[in-house]
Every structure is written in structure tokens, then in C-alpha cells.
Amino acid sequence: MALSRLLVTVGTPLASALIYVLCIGYRKRARIYRLRQQGIAMPDGWSWWFGHLLVLDKKLKKLPHDANVFMAMGDMIEEHKDTEYFLMDYWPMFQPVLMTFAPEIAAQVSNKLDLPKPADQEKSFRPIIGGPSLITMNETQWKFWRSLFNNGFSASHMLSLVPTLVDTVDVFCEKLSSHVNGDIFFLDDMAMNLTMDVIIKTTLDIDLDNQRKEHKLARALNVILDWHSFWDPRILLNPLRIPVQWYYGRVMDTIIKAELQKRFNEMKAERTTDPSNQPKKAKSVIALALEEHMSQKQRGINQAFETLKLDPQFATIAANQIRMFIFAGNDSTATTLVYTYHLLSQNPSALAKLREEHDAVFQSPNAGDRLRDDPALINQCRYTLAVIKEALRLFPPSSSLRDGVAGVSIVDLQGNQVPTDNLNVTIMHRYVHVHPRFWPRPLEFIPERWLVEPGHELYPKSPLTSYRPFEHGTRNCIAQTLVYNELRVALIMTARKYDIKPAYDEWDSRENERLGVFASVAKNFGLKGNECKTVLGERAYQTTRSGAHPANRYPCRVTLAQR
Ligand code: HEM
Ligand SMILES: *[C@@H]1O[C@H](CO)[C@@H](O)[C@H](O)[C@H]1NC(C)=O
Ligand SMILES: *[C@@H]1O[C@H](CO)[C@@H](O)[C@H](O)[C@H]1NC(C)=O
Ligand SMILES: *[C@@H]1O[C@H](CO)[C@@H](O)[C@H](O)[C@H]1NC(C)=O
Ligand SMILES: *[C@@H]1O[C@H](CO)[C@@H](O)[C@H](O)[C@H]1NC(C)=O
């Protein structure tokens, strides 16, 4: 009696929960099934129970365990040459995603339809960024903030920050010099320390000097990242995660807000003293945004500037924006710098040309001082820019993710309508960038293609849609000039001084030694296979780590350049 009562009281909600899950599951599964019937392109091997996860898993098994998931999709790209998009069903992990590598479809997503940013991205980034920021904001809120920041990231303002970049790259050179003829080191880590310093100096005007000694802002961020995962239950379910991330988020906010207050006070002081006292130093991005905001506000309420206070709500979101700049820019820029050196190490003739350009533009080996005096010299380094563009073409650090919209369809290459209701859309930059319909000799590193005139055999077709490392449309990367400037300054100041060479062979044999007897016994007994260590023949393959960092953080050696 008691048992059956228990079963009824506990069992009913359980059973109804189960039925509910099955119903939702069935509805979602049936939808994919219908889309399949309608002829929406999707990879073979779809299953009612696991969507395309098993198909993907099979492809992933052929790659190193940490290879970027996009690299597993090469076969699917081949199989969908006719539509140039396909639907990946990630059930039960995520919503189904329409994946595309057609520049024509990408242009619809980013420009014509301007599909919205993923609705729940803000929530998943919250522990790192703290709340709403440019990268996740919806249309309405985004417009206000983007217009505040556009001026700070403009080409002319970015040029005024070149001397700041030179100072930061000077420390990078000091770091490289300390490894000359030394042991293997990880260029990826060194590059991240550089990009972190650059972002904070240019946007907030604090010199973290994080390349020499870990700054407390960087440390707070690193703790938050150590406790971050989008999926790992061991981290997500740990009761300490939320308080720890909250605490270190506060640490970051406190540092950033104190700086904001300082900038605000400086602004006030500037206005009340003689206006002809022009500030000598270039302003940070946040200082310009603050000025813009305050003058908007002043116009709105017609109040004397001296009586205005720093609006706490504004300060909170501004602090998020700074945290987001680090999140969006630190890994991506560092990765690009490392791949640029990597490609140069594999292409000696390109490196020679690069050095010739730097000799021609700067004459003296000390390019830093020349740049400080005349920042516009970077614009004369056309080959340098071509090298960077080519690195970003072959190893784009990001891709673009958008939400579908009910009633909005994409038109595929045959003119068929593909509804986007309840789907997500991803533009796979890597595959757009090596698309044979648009790129002659797509897989080769040829900086010259960026310097030839239209009509030349190397000239890419429709570069405005077929090249999109920073995306296009309203939600494109706000910081592309900063990135191009930083990478140009870094190359100008290092390419003639150093030879950087990957040291994967040595690294791998050391690792094997370290794993020692146990691993080799296991291998001999067939318990552990020789795991594949390259992707398409590339040992420095892109990994899953945010920003698609090169494998093993790029172990390498540096020597002084022999010319
Ligand atoms: C090589 C380096 C970088 C690459 C390849 C890159 C790429 C991108 C891409 C593809 C997007 C669009 C994302 C989407 O459509 O989903 C984006 C947006 C953005 N990026 Fe970057 N980025 C880089 C560096 C940076 C840096 C250094 C910063 C900041 C200092 C930055 C700030 C932003 C912001 C704020 C957005 C959002 C813009 C908006 O929605 O208004 N990025 N970036
Ligand atoms: C996919 O789209 C849904 C519905 O718009 C959205 O809630 C979700 O955040 C998106 N998923 C991802 C991974 O972006
Ligand atoms: C956009 O976000 C703001 C702030 O979170 C919110 O108040 C507003 O309703 C949102 N608008 C739309 C159209 O979603
Ligand atoms: C940014 O750079 C620092 C190194 O200065 C690194 O520890 C951190 O993991 C990087 N990534 C992000 C998302 O901040
Ligand atoms: C990066 O900076 C941290 C301190 O901020 C330092 O401990 C680390 O050694 C640096 N990494 C490299 C490769 O220089």
C-alpha cells in the first residue's frame, strides 16, 4: 500500500517529466526529419538519437584530440559543393546549426539579412565579461555603445597610438632576446602577454607591464578562466565556481573603474584649465568614449560640465566593455602573430622580401624610434600588411555565429530558400578563405596576391566577401585597425632581428621521453595507438582553445637573424 502510494506521489511527476522530455525531443527530432525530407542539405549518417554527433565524432577521431572542430569538417565541405552550406544537428548538445562556406551566403548573413547575435551568448560570457558588452548586445543597446567607441578605434586615432605599440613591442623584443640561443620556449604565451598589454594600454591607458610580471588584473582574469568551461561538469557543478568568479570579477571591475574615475577627473581638470593646454599623450579608447558620453549628456541636460558625476551605470557597462576587449582581442591577436612567424619560418623567400621592405622604409635597424617619430611609416609597409593578411586568411582565429529568425530565409546557390527558424548560422571563415572558386592556389602562402591588380592571375575573386577574418556588416570587428597596426609594428621591430623556428620535433621526442616506459609499453601492446599529430600535414594545427591557438602553444627556438 505504502509503496504504491510512494510510487504514485514520486512517480507521477517523474513520469510526466519523462513524457515532457520525450515530447520535446520528438518535436525537435521530427523537425530535422522534415527538413531532411524538404531537401535541406545535411551530412550523411544522421540519426534520430544522436543527430550528427556520431558522424562528427568519427571525423574527429582521425584528428589529434585537441584539433579545432572545424578542421574535422573538410569532408563535409567536399560533400556539399553544390549547396555550399549544410545543416549540422548537434542534438542533444546544441541547437542545429546551418554551417556555410559560401561567400554569397555569408554576405546575406552579415549584411543583407544582418542576422542577430546569439540570444544567450551574454549569459555564457557573463563570468568573464561581467554583463552586457558590444559583442553580445542586441541591436538597440548596441547602437548607443558602438557609436561611443567608433571614434576611439578609428584609423586616425589608432595611428596616434603607434608610439604606445612601439613601447610595448620593445618589451616583447627584450623577452625574445632573453631566449636567443636558449632552450625551447612557447611563443604563444609570450604573444598573449604582449597582446594583453597592448589592449589594456590602448583602451584603458594602464601599463600592466604584464610581459615582465603578472599584473593583478591579468591574474584575476586567469583565475576566472581557470574556473570557466562551457561544458565540463566537473567545473560547472563545483560549488566554489560562482563565488570565485564573482570575487575575481569584482577585482577586475575595481581596477578598471578606478582608472575610469581617474580619466574622468582628468577630463574635468582639462576643461576647467586653459583649453589651449592640449594634452601631449594620445588618449585611450575609453577616455574618448567617456568624453563623447559626457558631452552627449551635457547637451541633454544642459548642465555645467564641472557639476557632472561619473554615472555608475555607465561605469559598470564600460568596465564590461574593457573586459570584453580582452576576451575578444587577446587570444585572436596573439594567435595571428604566432601564425605569421610560423608561415614566415616556412617561407624563407617571403621573409627575405619582408626584411628588404623594412630596410627600404626604415634604413636604420632601429625601426622603433623612427616609428615613434613618424607613425604613418607603417602604411608604407605594404608587403608587411600582405603577409599579415595572408596569415589571417590561412589561420583565421574566429568564425561568426548568428541566430536564425522566424520567417527569414537564406537563398542558397541554386536559388532555393532555406528557412532559418530555430536554427543557428555559422560562417566558417577558414573554408571561405580557401574556397577554390575565389582563391587561386588557395592553400599556398602567397602574400603577393594582396599586391597585384585586378585581372592578375593571383588576384582573389570578390575579396570583399571571400575574405572576412573580421567579419563584415554592422557587427564587424571594431578593432581591425588596432590589430593590423599592432602586428605591423611587431613584425617591423622583430623580423630583421630574429629568426624564429618551430621546435615541434624536439618537443615531441621530449614528451615521449617524459611519458617514458609506461607509454611505450602500452603502445607496444596496442593499448595506446600512435596518436596522429598533424592536421593536413600541419603540426602547428589550430586547436579548440578559444582563438584557435596553435598546437602545444607553439614550442620554438629563437636565434639572431643571419642575413
Ligand atoms: C586578429 C585579431 C582579431 C580577429 C580575427 C577578430 C575577429 C572578430 C570577428 C570575426 C568579429 C565578429 C564576430 C561575429 O560576427 O560573431 C569580431 C567582433 C568584435 N571584436 Fe574582434 N577580432 C580581433 C581582435 C580584436 C581586438 C584586439 C579587439 C578589442 C580591442 C576586438 C574587439 C571586438 C569587438 C568589440 C567586437 C564586436 C563588435 C560589435 O558587435 O560591434 N577584436 N572580431
Ligand atoms: C541558437 O539560437 C537559439 C535561438 O535563437 C539561441 O537561444 C541560442 O543561443 C543559439 N545557440 C548558440 C550556440 O548560439
Ligand atoms: C535589448 O536589451 C535591452 C537591455 O538588456 C532590453 O531592455 C531590450 O528590451 C532589448 N531589446 C530587444 C529588442 O530585445
Ligand atoms: C589573455 O592573455 C593572458 C596572458 O597575458 C592569458 O593568461 C589569458 O589566458 C588570455 N586569454 C583571455 C581570454 O584573456
Ligand atoms: C607571461 O607573463 C607572465 C607574467 O605576467 C610570466 O610569468 C610568463 O613567464 C610570461 N610568459 C612568457 C612566455 O614570457
Side-chain angles (χ1 to χ4, degrees), residues 117 134-135 142 146 324-325 328-329 332-333 336 397-398 400-402 429 469-471 475-479 482-483:
K117 289 288 185 126
L134 271 184
I135 208 151
W142 167 83
R146 177 93 184 200
M324 179 273 300
F325 291 151
S332 46
T333 316
T336 307
S398 42
S400 193
L401 188 62
R402 301 297 175 95
H429 290 172
F470 298 105
E471 251 322 313
R475 304 301 291 258
N476 66 354
C477 182
I478 199 171
L482 171 61
V483 172

Side-chain angles (χ1 to χ4, degrees), residues 367-426:
D369 288 342
R370 301 269 338 265
L371 276 177
R372 261 188 271 258
D373 293 341
D374 187 0
L377 284 174
I378 54 170
N379 293 325
Q380 289 182 27
C381 299
R382 295 181 61 223
Y383 194 79
T384 311
L385 184 60
V387 164
I388 296 163
K389 285 192 160 172
E390 196 64 348
L392 273 168
R393 183 179 71 83
L394 289 169
F395 296 101
S398 42
S399 53
S400 193
L401 188 62
R402 301 297 175 95
D403 276 357
V405 174
V408 171
S409 295
I410 282 166
V411 181
D412 80 0
L413 295 182
Q414 274 96 40
N416 301 316
Q417 303 270 331
V418 183
T420 66
D421 314 38
N422 294 306
L423 299 177
N424 300 91
V425 182
T426 288

Side-chain angles (χ1 to χ4, degrees), residues 2 22 205 209 223 281 296 314 329 349 416 429 433 480 545:
L22 283 175
D205 198 15
D209 202 15
V223 177
K281 221 170 61 175
Q296 278 178 11
F314 177 89
S349 65
N416 301 316
H429 290 172
H433 287 176
Q480 34 189 306
R545 216 172 127 195

Side-chain angles (χ1 to χ4, degrees), residues 128 188-197 199 208 210-211 214 218-219 221-222 225-226 252 323 326-331 334 545-546 549:
I128 304 171
D188 195 35
D189 292 348
M190 202 188 270
M192 269 202 287
N193 282 357
L194 167 71
T195 53
M196 175 93 157
D197 270 358
I199 291 172
L208 294 184
N210 191 54
Q211 296 182 87
E214 192 177 38
R219 175 166 154 67
L221 178 66
N222 282 332
L225 289 173
D226 286 345
M252 290 184 84
R323 289 167 66 175
I326 303 172
F327 178 72
N330 174 20
D331 293 275
R545 216 172 127 195
S546 142
H549 286 271

Side-chain angles (χ1 to χ4, degrees), residues 40-99:
I40 301 297
M42 55 182 91
D44 290 338
W46 180 80
S47 108
W48 272 92
W49 293 105
F50 298 108
H52 289 113
L53 285 183
L54 298 181
V55 185
L56 187 61
D57 189 55
K58 219 162 104 195
K59 311 264 183 217
L60 279 170
K61 284 219 174 85
K62 292 191 199 147
L63 299 178
H65 69 277
D66 58 345
N68 195 291
V69 179
F70 284 131
M71 299 316 292
M73 296 193 175
D75 294 344
M76 298 171 194
I77 306 280
E78 283 296 305
E79 286 159 19
H80 294 96
K81 272 186 177 151
D82 49 343
T83 51
E84 302 200 350
Y85 80 85
F86 53 89
L87 188 82
M88 280 295 283
D89 179 13
Y90 293 103
W91 169 269
M93 311 262 289
F94 306 107
Q95 287 250 108
V97 183
L98 205 86
M99 324 269 311

